[in-house]
Amino acid sequence: MPVKVYFALYCLITGLSFWLSLAYAQQPSIVRVPDYLEQSPHRPLLEYALTITAPEYGEVELAFATAMVQGRTEQSLLAGDALHLAVFAPSPERESALLPVYFPLNGGLLGYRVCLIAEGQQSKFDAIATAEDWRKAELIFGQGAHWPDVAILRSNNLQVVTNPKYELLFDMVRLNRFDCFARSIEEVEHDKASVNAQGLIIEQQVLFYYPQASFFFVSPRYPQLAERLQKGLEQAAKNGVIQQHFETHFGAIVQQIRCQNRRLIRLENPLLSPKVASALQQFAYAP
């Protein structure tokens, strides 16, 4: 074989090795995630996306780090050392500072909200059919201080009380500091079963909806990780894995909450970016 051909092959192999090493350098070999994902229904999707993209991007392992409040988690992702990805609802600030994977992990169920309320308080909600009814009744929501839902609810002229400590929100609704601890229908059963929820019940009549989703957000230090997750989740949708996952993890609770029998109150989400709206349009589920 002529020397020029050998040289060309050498350059090709060397260049390919360089670009592959560069790609792998833009993602960690051990992906550090908050420990709430260890038992989360999002974990199988994360593992599937990483596995199906391994031939292109390489093998990685998961490691679980102690979870923090959302504000500190965002700061940790920005640094990219202790955490490499987490799950959040999107906001303009998060989409700008971090790397969102535009795929709704829960089929968009995060936007369907019911209330955890104190026992004996159901009558407050029996006549509520519209957002205006809610305002006239002067009912108050409780939410986490760093949750995007706070801005969404307030933009719809609804009163919101906040606390940075998730666990304290249960105490506050139990003590009537606010009326409704609004939780998505993917979250509410888990919350209701926790030790924090003693003396609380799920309100029976009202269902709020605003377009919202849970996304993986990746540290800006690792763009290849975000890229492979996007590819892996979209492949999971094509393969039918997403539909099967939804039915397994959320089908029963959708039936139990009786979404179709509740009075639906639609709210606007002014934080919704075009990319989030597009992802919901492609992949969201309507119970």
Side-chain angles (χ1 to χ4, degrees), residues 111-261:
Y112 289 89
R113 300 270 165 162
V114 294
C115 295
L116 273 180
I117 64 175
E119 291 179 345
Q121 300 299 308
Q122 176 61 49
S123 61
K124 289 183 180 180
F125 305 88
D126 288 343
I128 303 296
T130 67
E132 187 58 29
D133 291 338
W134 187 277
R135 297 184 194 101
K136 288 179 178 178
E138 298 184 341
L139 298 174
I140 302 173
F141 287 99
Q143 295 283 271
H146 297 286
W147 299 354
D149 310 273
V150 176
I152 295 171
L153 293 168
R154 285 176 175 165
S155 73
N156 285 270
N157 297 316
L158 300 169
Q159 296 184 67
V160 186
V161 168
T162 67
N163 194 300
K165 295 287 188 179
Y166 161 77
E167 294 82 4
L168 294 181
L169 291 165
F170 293 87
D171 295 330
M172 292 174 72
V173 69
R174 187 165 37 245
L175 295 171
N176 295 311
R177 303 285 179 81
F178 54 81
D179 304 289
C180 166
F181 184 13
R183 304 298 286 150
S184 76
I185 60 177
E186 68 161 308
E187 300 166 322
V188 69
E189 274 300 309
H190 175 269
D191 290 344
K192 179 65 177 66
S194 77
V195 294
N196 299 310
Q198 293 182 7
L200 302 182
I201 61 172
I202 299 174
E203 194 280 326
Q204 295 295 305
Q205 302 296 330
V206 178
L207 176 67
F208 286 91
Y209 172 72
Y210 45 85
Q212 186 62 294
S214 293
F215 288 161
F216 288 129
F217 278 83
V218 177
S219 167
R221 289 181 57 182
Y222 300 111
Q224 290 288 341
L225 177 58
E227 179 182 283
R228 76 182 290 180
L229 289 174
Q230 187 75 48
K231 289 182 179 180
L233 291 171
E234 290 183 5
Q235 188 61 48
K238 294 177 183 177
N239 294 346
V241 171
I242 296 296
Q243 180 64 28
Q244 181 180 0
H245 177 269
F246 185 94
E247 292 299 331
T248 298
H249 291 280
F250 306 121
I253 186 60
V254 168
Q255 294 297 322
Q256 185 175 340
I257 292 297
R258 304 177 299 106
C259 295
Q260 295 181 347
N261 296 328

